[in-house]
Amino acid sequence: MAGVRTEWIWIVHAPVQGRESRYYGHLDVAAEPVDPALASAIARRLPSVAVWLSSPLLRTRVTALALKSGVDPVAIGDFTDQHYGRWQGMSYNDVFAANRTLDWSHPADIRPPEGESFADMAARVAAGIDRLSAHYAGHTLISVAHAGAVRAAIAHALGIDLATALRIEVAPLSITRLSHRDVDGTAQWSVGCINLDLSV
């Protein structure tokens, strides 16, 4: 549909229980309960009519339920967190100490053993966004996902390099709004907000 606006509202899932400063990636770990007052504040910012999406992992789906009772988000495999392979469950400090020879100045290209790089993940997130923007053209999509997926979505919308995207702060339970139009076969994006954090 040429010129039809599709709204994307991205929400980062709640913090993971006891797993901060670790690579949890595809591990299906639990999220912290969402404070009811914060959940209500976020919900008031969301449209009443929307298509809800999430990654297949429990922490995104539970967060979606905390924001909208009874919701059953469509699970989108492309929006799953980065696969950290053998690093999953390890602390950032331990991984860095054991891999000092890696070029940490270009983190988007680092591929953990048996895992994927941020660049790999960003490519599948972008493919999912393009597919769903066409499928749900004209709708509002609320996607509860992972910080890395939200950074990848921002990079895709703005056409920025992934090294820059990795410097964008996206807090747990923050909101990022992106709008998509297809104009003569060319995607045009605009940004409503990035990292709107109602917890502060």
Side-chain angles (χ1 to χ4, degrees):
M1 290 185 177
V4 174
R5 182 182 293 273
T6 304
E7 301 287 346
W8 282 86
I9 301 173
W10 292 87
I11 302 172
V12 181
H13 64 76
V16 169
Q17 292 182 3
R19 294 283 184 142
E20 291 305 301
S21 301
R22 289 182 180 271
Y23 293 98
Y24 39 87
H26 281 208
L27 296 177
D28 210 3
V29 293
E32 295 282 355
V34 181
D35 177 78
L38 177 56
S40 294
I42 295 171
R44 287 195 294 270
R45 296 277 185 150
L46 304 177
S48 58
V49 178
V51 178
W52 284 71
L53 314 171
S54 75
S55 88
L57 296 178
L58 184 63
R59 56 189 180 270
T60 61
R61 301 181 67 78
V62 167
T63 300
L65 272 170
L67 301 179
K68 186 178 177 65
S69 178
V71 74
D72 184 18
V74 180
I76 306 299
D78 285 332
F79 297 164
T80 308
D81 202 3
Q82 183 177 342
H83 197 313
Y84 292 106
R86 296 209 302 263
W87 294 357
Q88 293 191 151
M90 296 178 63
S91 73
Y92 297 161
N93 288 340
D94 287 348
V95 167
F96 179 73
N99 295 274
R100 293 184 182 276
T101 59
L102 292 177
D103 185 2
W104 291 98
S105 63
H106 296 88
D109 297 323
I110 293 176
R111 184 176 290 111
E114 301 176 19
E116 64 180 346
S117 67
F118 178 72
D120 295 331
M121 187 199 70
R124 63 171 164 79
V125 169
I129 290 170
D130 289 344
R131 183 181 71 254
L132 293 167
S133 293
H135 183 75
Y136 290 111
H139 291 77
T140 296
L141 307 178
I142 299 174
S143 181
V144 183
H146 309 271
V150 176
R151 292 186 181 98
I154 295 168
H156 185 55
L158 295 181
I160 61 176
D161 65 87
L162 297 181
T164 300
L166 282 172
R167 300 206 306 268
I168 297 173
E169 185 172 327
V170 283
L173 297 167
S174 65
I175 299 172
T176 292
R177 301 182 70 114
L178 307 171
S179 296
H180 171 273
R181 285 183 186 272
D182 187 306
V183 179
D184 296 328
T186 300
Q188 295 186 357
W189 288 92
S190 58
V191 178
C193 69
I194 292 174
N195 194 39
L196 176 62
D197 187 355
L198 300 178
S199 68
V200 296

